[in-house]
Amino acid sequence: MTSQAVHVVVFDGFADWEPAHALAELRRWGKRSVVAVGFDLDPVTSMGGLRVVPDRALDDIRPSEIEILILPGGDFWESSYPQSELNRVLDELIAAGVPIAAICAGTLAVARAGLLNDRRHTCNMPGYIAKHFPEYSGDSLYEAVPAVNDHGLITASGLASVEFAREIFKQLRIFNAADEEVWFDMFKHGRLPQSAV
C-alpha cells in the first residue's frame, strides 16, 4: 500500500462512468485512497447527476502526494477552462514521473499541455484533437486503438472505459496478469470465470 493517493479531477459535467471501473478496483483490490480534485472547492455535478464536493483544489496538490492523476471526459474540455493552472500541474507531474490518465475529451487537456506531441496516444477519433486544438502536432503518433500507455501517459477513447481501467491497473500493478485477464473478460465481455459458474 502506498502513502500516495489516486487523484481524479472533477468538474461540472464530468463523465462519471469513464473512471468508474478504475476507481472501484483501485479502492477495492488496490486498497488505494481516492482524492477528488476540483479547480476550486465548490461542489460540482457530474454528467450523470452526482453531486461531488472536491477534497482538494488543483492549486493545492503536489506531485509527491499523487500516485496517478485521472482526467475524465466531459464537454468542459471543449470550452474554456483554467488551462494555465492545469498545464502547470501536468508539467510538474510529468517532470516528477507521476502517471497521468486521460479519457475521452480529457485527452484535449493533455494535448493542450503539449504532452501528446512526442508520445503515442489515442482519443475519441482521428482528427478530434486537431479540431479542438489546432496547435497539436502529435497526429503522427495517434493510434486508432481503445487505449494507449506511453511512458506513464495513458489515453483512451470515450468508448473504452474498461480498456482505460486496464491500462491504469497495469501502470499501478493492481492485479497479476491472470487476474487482470479475468477482470477484463468479465467487464468487457460479460464472461464469468469458470470457478464462479
Side-chain angles (χ1 to χ4, degrees):
M1 183 145 167
T2 176
S3 61
Q4 297 171 313
V6 172
H7 286 53
V8 58
V9 176
V10 296
F11 47 87
D12 277 322
F14 77 93
D16 41 17
W17 67 93
E18 290 177 343
H21 285 298
L23 294 175
E25 303 303 349
L26 289 170
R27 282 179 44 81
R28 188 166 71 152
W29 293 106
K31 308 298 184 205
R32 296 325 201 258
S33 297
V34 175
V35 174
V37 179
F39 284 89
D40 54 39
L41 294 177
D42 293 340
V44 299
T45 302
S46 74
M47 200 178 290
L50 295 175
R51 185 174 183 270
V52 177
V53 179
D55 300 304
R56 306 278 301 278
L58 191 65
D59 271 347
D60 296 330
I61 63 173
R62 302 290 170 258
S64 61
E65 304 166 336
I66 302 169
E67 187 175 15
I68 190 168
L69 180 73
I70 300 175
L71 299 167
D75 297 340
F76 176 83
W77 302 119
E78 295 181 0
S79 58
S80 178
Y81 62 90
Q83 185 176 328
S84 61
E85 184 182 341
L86 181 60
N87 287 359
R88 176 190 58 76
V89 169
L90 295 176
D91 288 343
E92 287 177 359
L93 295 178
I94 289 294
V98 176
I100 297 168
I103 184 170
C104 194
T107 59
L108 294 175
V110 292
R112 288 190 183 108
L115 303 182
L116 300 185
N117 294 333
D118 59 358
R119 287 180 178 82
R120 294 178 304 104
H121 60 277
T122 193
C123 65
N124 288 339
M125 66 191 80
Y128 174 74
I129 294 173
K131 174 183 174 185
H132 294 283
F133 181 52
E135 294 85 355
Y136 161 71
S137 62
D139 51 339
S140 66
L141 296 171
Y142 171 83
E143 296 183 6
V145 296
V148 173
N149 183 348
D150 190 347
H151 294 90
L153 182 62
I154 298 166
T155 51
S157 160
L159 300 177
S161 61
V162 175
E163 290 88 347
F164 182 61
R166 180 169 63 176
E167 291 301 328
I168 291 171
F169 302 154
K170 286 180 185 176
Q171 179 69 40
L172 301 185
R173 298 180 179 164
I174 299 301
F175 296 120
N176 64 40
D179 289 344
E180 180 187 298
E181 193 57 40
V182 167
W183 181 89
F184 185 77
D185 215 25
M186 285 193 305
F187 287 93
K188 184 65 179 178
H189 305 292
R191 290 193 289 255
L192 290 171
Q194 283 297 72
S195 61
V197 178

